[in-house]
Amino acid sequence: MAALKANCRKVMCIGRNYADHITELNNTRPKNPFFFLKPTSSILPPPHDNTPIHIPRNVNVHFEIELGIVIGKPAKHLRIPGSLQDDDATTQALHYVKSYFLGIDLTGRNVQEAAKQARLPWTIAKGFDTFLPISEEIPKEKIPDPHNARIWLKVNGKTKQDDNTNLMLFRVPRILKDISRVMTLEEGDLVMTGTPKGVGPIKAGDRVTAGIEVDGKEIEEGRIDIGVEDAPEGGYDFAKL
């Protein structure tokens, strides 16, 4: 929905939050939630009939399906007592959650790797226009427990990612607490909770579909169906840097 983009001041993304995804990219498991920002200009709200993903020239773009959170009220220096893994902590954290969405965190993988090798930030790899396709807003009551939802992604009808959010290393209370210690989460902000294993490339001509299920039932608002095209001429070209 366009409203999610219009009301969002920042997009917070949690990296390396599923063990198998860490392994597949040969990354180090973090001791604490690891987060980064995507620009709001990267958000691509539905409907996606005439708004495809754009692939910048000579960029190896990877998909990463994720459960997203819409912040419902300001959260600053959250204090959630007790274990951040128990049900009480989840209940307290959910007071700050307005709703959910499904999102595809697109990454220019070769751009990211080059930045890592040079010990530079990799904002470019995450920040291109159209690099965050999202679903419609999912009412909070349709996902009673954000740690028990099946999320999946297909490319041209072939399943690439399919896992349960119960595999998150850091659950929602810890995610919100740690972010709020650094920067205030404001009403309308979006939080991406990390991607499971199976990330991989897409190219012009592909069709990407994604969805979310709770208790074996697909949530209609969480459906994504989007095409992929080459970006218009005259923009970024990794080969010319």
Side-chain angles (χ1 to χ4, degrees):
M1 297 175 66
L4 288 185
K5 181 174 183 177
N7 294 332
C8 178
R9 295 190 180 188
K10 56 184 173 290
V11 182
M12 303 301 304
C13 302
I14 302 298
R16 306 177 190 177
N17 203 24
Y18 288 76
D20 287 343
H21 173 58
I22 294 171
T23 300
E24 71 181 348
L25 293 186
N26 196 30
N27 285 323
T28 302
R29 180 169 174 162
K31 295 181 180 180
N32 300 295
F34 164 68
F35 49 89
F36 57 91
L37 290 157
K38 285 179 83 89
T40 57
S41 55
S42 69
I43 299 172
L44 188 58
H48 297 124
D49 298 341
N50 298 306
T51 54
I53 295 165
H54 284 162
I55 306 293
R57 291 179 63 82
N58 296 299
V59 174
N60 180 18
V61 177
H62 277 204
F63 53 80
E64 301 179 10
I65 191 65
E66 307 190 21
L67 174 66
I69 294 169
V70 183
I71 298 298
K73 62 180 180 180
K76 182 175 184 178
H77 299 164
L78 285 187
R79 295 185 179 183
I80 301 176
S83 170
L84 293 177
Q85 296 291 103
D86 63 24
D87 292 340
D88 287 342
T90 298
T91 299
Q92 292 182 60
L94 293 186
H95 288 310
Y96 297 89
V97 175
K98 174 179 179 285
S99 54
Y100 299 96
F101 65 96
L102 196 65
I104 306 174
D105 174 20
L106 295 168
T107 305
R109 192 68 71 196
N110 55 339
V111 179
Q112 184 185 47
E113 291 302 323
K116 287 181 178 179
Q117 291 173 14
R119 297 185 178 182
L120 295 172
W122 26 276
T123 303
I124 294 174
K126 294 285 189 176
F128 291 101
D129 289 352
T130 78
F131 265 36
L132 183 52
I134 63 173
S135 71
E136 294 180 6
E137 190 170 6
I138 301 171
K140 186 176 180 179
E141 60 270 18
K142 290 196 174 185
I143 305 180
D145 182 0
H147 312 114
N148 188 22
R150 176 190 170 213
I151 55 177
W152 57 265
L153 181 144
K154 298 180 181 181
V155 179
N156 302 324
K158 184 175 181 179
T159 298
K160 299 294 185 177
Q161 294 185 273
D162 189 344
D163 262 318
N164 196 291
T165 58
N166 61 18
L167 296 174
M168 287 184 194
L169 299 177
F170 300 107
R171 293 159 68 97
V172 171
R174 179 67 187 276
I175 289 171
L176 299 187
K177 180 179 179 180
D178 277 38
I179 293 174
S180 75
R181 284 175 160 180
V182 177
M183 61 189 79
T184 301
L185 285 166
E186 301 169 292
E187 182 178 356
D189 284 350
L190 306 182
V191 179
M192 301 282 282
T193 59
T195 192
K197 67 180 182 300
V199 303
I202 52 174
K203 63 184 185 306
D206 285 342
R207 194 80 193 175
V208 180
T209 53
I212 181 170
E213 295 180 4
V214 171
D215 294 330
K217 183 178 180 181
E218 183 170 8
I219 299 174
E220 183 178 351
E221 293 92 338
R223 183 79 174 181
I224 297 175
D225 186 346
I226 191 168
V228 184
E229 295 181 359
D230 287 325
E233 294 287 339
Y236 181 92
D237 185 344
F238 183 67
K240 293 183 178 180
L241 296 182

